[in-house]
Amino acid sequence: MNIASYRKNEYTISMVFSVVPVVLAGGEGTRLWPLGRSQYPKQFLSLVSEKSMLQETILRVNGIEGTTDPLVLCNEAHRFTAAAQLVELGIEHPAIMLEPCGRNTAPAIAAAAFYLSRKAEDPLLFVLAADSAVENVQAFRNAVETAVKPALEGKLVTFGIVPDRPETGYGYVKAGKKGSPDSDWFEIECFREKPDEETAASYLREGGYYWNSGMFLFRASVFLAELEKFAPEIYSAVKASVSGINKDAISGNFDFLRLNAGEFSASPSDSIDYAVMEKTSAGAVVPMDAGWSDVGSFSSLWEVSPKDGDGNAAKGNVFLYKSSGNIVFSEKRLVVGIGCDNLAVIETRDAVLVADKNASQDIKKVVSLLKERKYCEVEDPQIGFRPWGCYDSIEKGNRYKVKHITVKPGGKLSLQLHHHRSEHWVIVSGTAKVRNGDDVLILTENQSTFIPLGVLHSLENPGKIPLELIEVQSGTYLEEDDITRVEDEYGRC
């Protein structure tokens, strides 16, 4: 808790407040394929530092006065990835709300507001996406702290990014009159849709226009009151879904908050801009000049990445000759570019993209076409994250698959069986406690066990260092859904 004190009408006003970061982490980020996949989208990738985008977002808000641990919203498929990344940051008991289905930002933020209002008296909610980059963190924090006063006074504050070019990929917000003669915030005059280039240039010439960042700061009660006024169907459906919220009985450091799926899915799908911000008279905007980017395309990723003297942004095993303005990522193999300009070249273990750096919309269309034609590379990353650790798919062929599995200390795979495959485990390092049918084995480096099709088995790391093993699968069907779980301490079925 913090106490905000300021002068108003010659009186000192003091208010106790806390700021709860509400981090929206449910997007798919298809314009960054093949780096981002639907099963492992950009918010969980390390794109601008060694930390993931989600982790960078959390670290960025930690230095803001009055902040508490965040509430992260994501979907079912990403829950363990999000939990693991939060635990890595030292958040002892992260709160993760699972959206049963996509309903856009207004219902998601409403669910957070209803839930957090039950835990604290009318907190300030700082709503932001998990997949943005910021160059000047202190300027970012200063802007948020500027927004506290109008938010405490009942304003719905958004943050307008000071534009440095006539950008056509963002919507705009136009600032009106100042909140007060000595304030650094403005009333909102209007919102504008994504403009064409000529219109965007006119906005910069006129001044007072800012990129719409999609970040907000407001009291939970004020947002919910305006939502009830302007979007009562969303308000009622989400309120009912939060009333029926359940917690997964998960062992470990985290709980998953499950909204009532039937009630939440009954909510209309709408953005917070359309549902509330474009209609309310309580809107305010604080300018933010912090080098913000939504990293929504390879061109924007290139902008925020370190570059060589020829303007190339390269990561991994890359060699460029007589080339400029490229963004080249190599996950494994050597990538050589000769005489290339303004390209995006992305090499992963199962896919290679070569495209014009500015072709983000075309990349999105191509990903949709690949998905229609059932290319598995669209959705599935080679690396899969689980509550017990992770696996790396090394090789796959007709009737066989090879994985490198890492089990964290104390991690335990479910007691399970497979109907279509057998497995052979070879320990690389660490200690494994294995149940194989009726046998319980302790295996160490260079030891192995064979698990026939249909036999109950489990794997546990009882040691203090990561357990690593190679798994060789063979059979007629080798997908991840060929698992029948009998017992699982992480609550999976």
Side-chain angles (χ1 to χ4, degrees), residues 115-400:
Y115 174 74
L116 292 170
S117 295
R118 292 164 36 170
K119 297 177 67 65
E121 185 176 349
D122 203 11
L124 285 176
L125 308 187
F126 179 32
V127 179
L128 71 169
D131 54 3
S132 298
V134 169
E135 293 180 3
N136 189 334
V137 173
Q138 191 54 55
F140 170 89
R141 293 170 177 168
N142 291 343
V144 178
E145 289 172 359
T146 295
V148 167
K149 178 181 174 182
L152 287 172
E153 293 179 337
K155 293 293 184 181
L156 300 174
V157 183
T158 190
F159 296 90
I161 305 302
V162 177
D164 59 5
R165 62 185 184 277
E167 174 62 53
T168 60
Y170 301 142
Y172 285 70
V173 56
K174 179 131 187 339
K177 66 179 182 179
K178 267 197 167 190
S180 64
D182 61 343
S183 69
D184 294 321
W185 61 274
F186 302 82
E187 295 182 1
I188 293 175
E189 183 173 310
C190 63
F191 286 86
R192 299 294 188 197
E193 296 290 341
K194 296 176 182 178
D196 57 31
E197 191 167 350
E198 182 179 345
T199 303
S202 72
Y203 290 164
L204 266 66
R205 289 194 299 270
E206 182 179 341
Y209 282 91
Y210 302 93
W211 295 339
N212 186 358
S213 69
M215 294 185 288
F216 305 91
L217 184 72
F218 41 62
R219 283 192 178 276
S221 63
V222 176
F223 170 71
L224 290 174
E226 295 297 277
L227 183 70
E228 185 177 24
K229 183 190 303 183
F230 298 115
E233 292 182 354
I234 295 177
Y235 178 93
S236 298
V238 176
K239 182 178 182 181
S241 76
V242 175
S243 297
I245 203 166
N246 288 308
K247 281 187 179 182
D248 275 3
I250 303 294
S251 63
N253 296 3
F254 46 86
D255 292 318
F256 296 122
L257 307 169
R258 292 183 179 274
L259 300 166
N260 181 283
E263 300 290 357
F264 191 81
S265 62
S267 171
S269 177
D270 209 351
S271 71
I272 181 176
D273 287 340
Y274 289 143
V276 175
M277 295 302 296
E278 294 185 5
K279 300 171 183 175
T280 183
S281 60
V285 58
V286 169
M288 178 183 286
D289 190 1
W292 173 92
S293 171
D294 73 343
V295 197
S297 64
F298 285 115
S299 59
S300 59
L301 178 56
W302 173 83
E303 288 172 359
V304 300
S305 299
K307 304 172 190 67
D308 64 18
D310 294 314
N312 297 302
K315 184 177 182 180
N317 196 8
V318 175
F319 184 85
L320 299 173
Y321 180 74
K322 292 184 179 180
S323 301
S324 64
N326 301 289
I327 179 166
V328 184
F329 277 33
S330 169
E331 186 174 290
K332 186 176 182 181
R333 291 165 290 184
L334 171 64
V335 175
V336 177
I338 302 173
C340 301
D341 299 311
N342 302 314
L343 292 180
V345 181
I346 311 298
E347 183 271 343
T348 67
R349 301 184 190 192
D350 62 342
V352 177
L353 170 75
V354 180
D356 186 295
K357 186 177 64 184
N358 299 305
S360 60
Q361 292 302 323
D362 288 333
I363 293 172
K364 189 174 182 179
K365 290 176 184 175
V366 168
V367 170
S368 295
L369 291 173
L370 292 173
K371 191 171 185 178
E372 286 177 13
R373 298 175 189 184
K374 302 190 183 305
Y375 282 81
C376 63
E377 291 87 353
V378 172
E379 297 187 355
D380 297 331
Q382 294 295 98
I383 297 177
F385 290 83
R386 297 293 184 266
W388 43 259
C390 64
Y391 67 83
D392 184 354
S393 294
I394 300 172
E395 185 61 66
K396 181 179 179 180
N398 184 28
R399 295 179 61 91
Y400 77 90

Side-chain angles (χ1 to χ4, degrees), residues 428-445:
V428 176
S429 64
T431 301
K433 182 178 180 181
V434 176
R435 174 174 169 180
N436 188 348
D438 294 330
D439 298 326
V440 177
L441 312 170
I442 299 295
L443 302 178
T444 58
E445 185 174 330

